[in-house]
Amino acid sequence: MQRIERHPILPIPDRRKVPFTWKGRPMEGLEGETLSSALFAAGVRIFGHHAKDGAAQGIFCANGQCSQCLVLADGIPVKSCMELVRPGVRVEPVEGLPKLPRVDAREAGRAEARPIETVRVPVLVIGGGPAGLSAGIELGKRGVETLIIDDKHRLGGKLVLQTHRFFGSIDAVYAGTRGIDIATRLESEARSFSSVRIWLQSAALAVFSDRTVGVLFEGRRYVHVVPDVLLVTSGAREKNLAFPGNTLPGVYGAGAFQTLVNRDLVKPTGRLFIVGGGNVGLIAGYHALQAGIAVVGLVEVMPECGGYKVHRDKLARLGVPIYTSHTVVSANGHDAVESVTIARVDEAFRPVRGTERSFDCDTLLIAVGLDPVNEFFEKAREFGLPAFAAGDAEEIAEASAAIFSGKIRGLEVARALGHDVGEISPDWYRTADILKSRPGATTPERTPEPEAGVFPVIHCNQEIPCDPCTAVCPNALIEMDRTDIRLLPSFVTEKGGKGCTGCERCVAICPGLAITLVDYRKDAEFPTVAVPFEFLKDTLAAGDHVVVEDTDGNPLGRVEVGAVMVLKANDRTVIVKVRAPRAFAKKIAGIRIQPPETSDPLEQYVGRTTDDTIICRCERVTAGEIRKLIREGVRDINEIKAVTRTSMGSCGAKTCTPLVHRLFREEGVPESEIVDQPNRPLFLEVSLGVFAGRGDEEDGHGRE
Ligand code: FES
């Protein structure tokens, strides 16, 4: 079984086993997990074969957006990443086009459509992630009747996937606290207000011109919700990437990976490779290492990673090679990923021949950015329904920014409904802008001069919004200009006659693991260096010899571990104390855990001869087919759709549309010449019977 049995951050709950069958074979899932996770845990990652070309199908988004993960559950096609495993459910792969389920014509003829219930509510919030919950809390505080709907089985959105401590402001957005714990806090606060109702497993299907929102309540009952104001906090969906082999099972989104590993505690791979050096890709690599998965490498097409440097450095120090100015050339394998080929790129981002290298891996994560899920907001505006958006649905940024924008939007919504919320401080808008800001300037590292006593060394040298280190020092020795938390913190040796006591609180709280503490008090020649470490405490033990590295991940030497400290106050951050020569003690920023041979390339690179770069996953339309039409002068995506079936599949064009635009760009066609297809509801596929009240036989709304 491929389950995570131990994790340095996440508790492993005791869950009941749920028997089910796959192709008639008995299997066991765990209570509350999705079918896709139960199948992955059992080592199954091919969920069927496409009707058009027989290509193997697996998951891509694990978020209900792409429909790649269809299986038959008791004969009915379902998205396995959204459907919970039920005792005795018979799960079958979708091989080609499945047969329609048998319908008793006489019974169907007698069936009567049930009336559709209408629910009126002052505020409907679509999405119970960081922004939606924060808005709900502000609305709850003011007694505004609010309904929060979320299509998942639990609240928190992407927060529930984040094991690392958060950046941002400790005052405004719980910086220094782990994402999973922020989710719990926001949820319990939102639930504490009687005016806030929450529907889980309830997806918004569409916003209609009569300003109603169609909602599939708990996946079975269709309800019309009529809000006075709509707040869209539905987050983001992952961007896809076009390259040969891009739809092989084993190629999937970084968010899908985090869902499998951190939410469902499944170990879906032994060796993975990552495409994309933004925060999502860098963090996914870190989460993989925490789960005991080898990270063979990461490619980023730009000369620098776009994510926070502290995230990049953390990964590099742990032993993951980061190939900037490189791209993925192909994912290779017959029915699933067996290797990846990468190459350096030239100034026009084209692969340079002769620089190809291949690596053995079974999984390739795509982390090339996010697109806002904003279709509900746009439709609401089009139809004159008062609407607001917050979090990634408004603008892609960190979850800390989503928490704060949700707070502000909650107040704005309350004000739009006539509640007196007073003036929303301009400082709040400024804080929101700061939290949203991209990483700023990188400065040379400032190594402190002294070589005596004890003091922290701050290995954080890029301006990002983050301040927890300034709040924990008992003698307030770490300072920052509080008017802008993007500025770098600095350490002052003494204040009010008090200096550093060596308490290590700054070491433990830094979300970037970018503070060490160097202590010369016992031995000035071989000072002790306290290094933060977020892995299982028995990964290292006193007496071990480890390779230590500088901030950027360059090895400094081998040193002996003196102690491995686990303190409750450090909230699962282990402190490893190494003894190091004074020549490089202050330069130590981390400890390598992954051996270099993990990332050795294959002796020969693997070429992929077939041009099977897929643009439309659902209908298996290749880049070549669409490119041909563009070259023939086609500018209307509707025409491409009519000729090739691009974007006519079950994902509702969510996955392929940005890729089609990209092909136009590559062919030199300006955006202004492209005629887009209309964005029509429904935005999620549902069985037609739902609109007639089918599937709701067991009544009882169970609403919370
Ligand atoms: S993997 Fe299930 S919908 Fe995308």
Side-chain angles (χ1 to χ4, degrees):
M1 288 296 264
Q2 297 173 352
R3 293 199 182 274
I4 295 168
E5 311 282 356
R6 297 175 70 215
H7 194 280
I9 308 297
L10 299 166
I12 311 291
D14 210 8
R15 287 183 287 175
R16 257 195 318 143
K17 297 204 167 79
V18 179
F20 71 101
T21 59
W22 168 251
K23 296 196 214 173
R25 261 183 18 236
M27 290 195 169
E28 273 178 347
L30 294 179
E31 193 173 35
E33 78 179 350
T34 58
L35 284 175
S36 58
S37 290
L39 289 169
F40 260 83
V44 176
R45 61 174 177 160
I46 297 172
F47 292 176
H49 292 86
H50 200 277
K52 183 172 171 184
D53 59 2
Q57 305 285 288
I59 66 163
F60 178 71
C61 73
N63 192 27
Q65 298 286 324
C66 75
S67 301
Q68 290 294 292
C69 62
L70 281 187
V71 293
L72 298 174
D74 288 336
I76 308 289
V78 295
K79 290 178 190 171
S80 60
C81 72
M82 300 298 285
E83 188 82 6
L84 293 187
V85 61
R86 289 177 274 116
V89 62
R90 286 174 293 109
V91 189
E92 299 288 337
V94 175
E95 300 293 357
L97 290 176
K99 288 204 182 72
L100 286 172
R102 284 175 65 88
V103 174
D104 181 328
R106 275 174 308 173
E107 195 196 314
R110 282 197 300 272
E112 276 184 28
R114 294 170 62 142
I116 296 169
E117 184 189 355
T118 297
V119 175
R120 293 183 189 279
V121 66
V123 184
L124 173 65
V125 181
I126 302 179
L133 287 173
S134 303
I137 291 166
E138 295 304 320
L139 290 159
K141 283 179 189 166
R142 285 151 188 89
V144 182
E145 290 293 326
T146 301
L147 171 60
I148 301 176
I149 61 169
D150 194 284
D151 59 353
K152 305 288 182 316
H153 312 92
R154 59 179 287 197
L155 291 169
K158 292 280 186 274
L159 287 175
V160 303
L161 311 180
Q162 309 303 344
T163 60
H164 60 280
R165 295 176 191 266
F166 264 44
F167 297 80
S169 153
I170 207 160
D171 297 331
V173 290
Y174 313 95
T177 305
R178 299 183 191 281
I180 41 171
D181 301 327
I182 298 175
T184 309
R185 284 197 204 178
L186 291 178
E187 173 171 358
S188 66
E189 195 175 349
R191 285 187 186 276
S192 69
F193 300 106
S194 57
S195 59
V196 177
R197 272 188 297 168
I198 293 165
W199 294 356
L200 289 175
Q201 283 182 271
S202 299
L205 301 180
V207 176
F208 297 109
S209 56
D210 63 357
R211 300 178 197 171
T212 60
V213 181
V215 174
L216 190 57
F217 172 73
E218 293 190 347
R220 59 193 168 83
R221 174 185 280 244
Y222 182 62
V223 180
H224 279 158
V225 178
V226 185
D228 296 327
V229 177
L230 177 67
L231 174 58
V232 179
T233 54
S234 40
R237 60 175 66 93
E238 294 189 82
K239 285 187 182 163
N240 201 349
L241 195 63
F243 56 90
N246 60 339
T247 61
L248 278 175
V251 178
Y252 48 85
F257 173 77
Q258 289 174 316
T259 301
L260 286 165
V261 171
N262 291 344
R263 188 193 70 185
D264 297 345
L265 297 164
V266 169
K267 198 169 173 179
T269 160
R271 292 170 60 82
L272 74 83
F273 206 98
I274 301 168
V275 187
N279 277 341
V280 174
L282 295 168
I283 293 170
Y286 187 63
H287 290 167
L289 293 170
Q290 283 185 319
I293 295 164
V295 183
V296 179
L298 179 148
V299 280
E300 163 58 49
V301 77
M302 302 302 287
E304 296 290 342
C305 287
Y308 290 174
K309 186 169 180 296
V310 283
H311 280 318
R312 178 250 167 243
D313 291 349
K314 219 163 43 170
L315 206 58
R317 290 195 296 260
L318 291 164
V320 177
I322 294 173
Y323 303 95
T324 51
S325 297
H326 275 69
T327 191
V328 57
V329 175
S330 62
N332 316 306
H334 176 59
D335 242 9
V337 176
E338 290 163 16
S339 68
V340 60
T341 303
I342 66 167
R344 197 154 49 73
V345 293
D346 60 18
E347 316 74 56
F349 304 111
R350 285 177 308 232
V352 177
R353 277 182 91 107
T355 65
E356 297 91 344
R357 272 178 289 179
S358 297
F359 298 87
D360 172 17
C361 64
D362 60 22
T363 296
L364 183 63
L365 297 192
I366 306 296
V368 291
L370 303 167
D371 282 325
V373 176
N374 57 5
E375 49 268 25
F376 302 107
F377 177 69
E378 287 182 353
K379 281 290 162 199
R381 295 296 275 258
E382 185 183 330
F383 298 140
L385 171 62
F388 295 78
D392 280 350
E394 180 190 23
E395 183 180 345
I396 303 296
E398 290 302 295
S400 49
I403 294 172
F404 209 73
S405 72
K407 261 165 101 140
I408 293 177
R409 230 51 87 223
L411 290 182
E412 290 174 347
V413 169
R415 188 164 58 193
L417 286 165
H419 293 261
D420 180 10
V421 297
E423 194 206 356
I424 304 172
S425 165
D427 285 350
W428 278 37
Y429 290 100
R430 185 173 142 69
T431 302
D433 283 341
I434 288 176
L435 292 172
K436 274 192 282 193
S437 52
R438 312 274 313 142
T442 300
T443 51
E445 195 161 318
R446 301 151 299 160
T447 309
E449 291 290 323
E451 296 205 336
V454 59
F455 52 84
V457 179
I458 300 175
H459 301 271
C460 157
N461 55 357
Q462 183 190 44
E463 291 181 358
I464 54 170
C466 187
D467 71 1
C469 59
T470 63
V472 290
C473 179
N475 294 332
L477 298 173
I478 299 185
E479 295 183 333
M480 177 186 278
D481 178 350
R482 301 297 305 173
T483 60
D484 189 344
I485 60 163
R486 287 169 295 194
L487 299 174
L488 293 175
S490 55
F491 171 72
V492 290
T493 45
E494 183 253 296
K495 201 184 268 180
K498 291 184 177 159
C500 176
T501 60
C503 73
E504 295 167 0
R505 284 186 213 172
C506 54
V507 180
I509 201 164
C510 173
L513 304 194
I515 301 182
T516 55
L517 196 85
V518 188
D519 190 347
Y520 295 83
R521 291 174 298 184
K522 281 203 185 122
D523 187 340
E525 286 309 310
F526 269 86
T528 301
V529 185
V531 182
F533 192 67
E534 288 186 318
F535 290 85
L536 289 167
K537 66 176 189 296
D538 50 15
T539 308
L540 296 174
D544 285 353
H545 283 80
V546 290
V547 173
V548 285
E549 304 192 300
D550 70 6
T551 305
D552 297 328
N554 303 305
L556 295 166
R558 281 181 87 78
V559 300
E560 187 179 346
V561 174
V564 178
M565 315 288 295
V566 182
L567 295 180
K568 202 156 183 274
N570 290 345
D571 182 23
R572 294 159 279 179
T573 304
V574 174
I575 306 282
V576 179
K577 298 201 174 182
V578 296
R579 289 186 64 236
R582 70 188 297 162
F584 61 76
K586 284 187 287 190
K587 289 198 175 323
I588 295 174
I591 296 169
R592 178 170 200 138
I593 59 161
Q594 187 167 272
E597 55 272 21
T598 308
S599 305
D600 285 346
L602 297 172
E603 272 176 23
Q604 279 204 317
Y605 90 83
V606 183
R608 199 178 168 100
T609 46
T610 50
D611 179 17
D612 58 353
T613 300
I614 295 289
I615 299 297
C616 171
R617 293 172 156 262
C618 301
E619 296 293 324
R620 305 279 308 163
V621 184
T622 64
E625 289 172 80
I626 299 171
R627 216 184 277 280
K628 181 167 169 284
L629 291 173
I630 296 173
R631 288 182 183 165
E632 285 169 7
V634 173
R635 297 293 179 264
D636 187 340
I637 294 184
N638 293 291
E639 206 175 329
I640 294 176
K641 186 171 171 176
V643 176
T644 64
R645 292 190 59 81
T646 298
S647 79
M648 290 179 76
S650 46
C651 87
K654 295 187 199 98
T655 327
C656 57
T657 304
L659 291 183
V660 175
H661 277 256
R662 191 174 162 162
L663 285 183
F664 272 112
R665 274 202 305 279
E666 285 175 13
E667 294 298 315
V669 178
E671 275 291 316
S672 55
E673 281 184 26
I674 306 170
V675 179
D676 242 317
Q677 57 189 325
N679 199 6
R680 289 194 199 94
L682 306 170
F683 296 130
L684 209 63
E685 63 279 24
V686 281
S687 65
L688 282 174
V690 159
F691 299 106
R694 302 275 304 184
D696 192 32
E697 285 76 16
E698 351 122 33
D699 206 349
H701 278 195
R703 292 177 194 168
E704 301 166 76

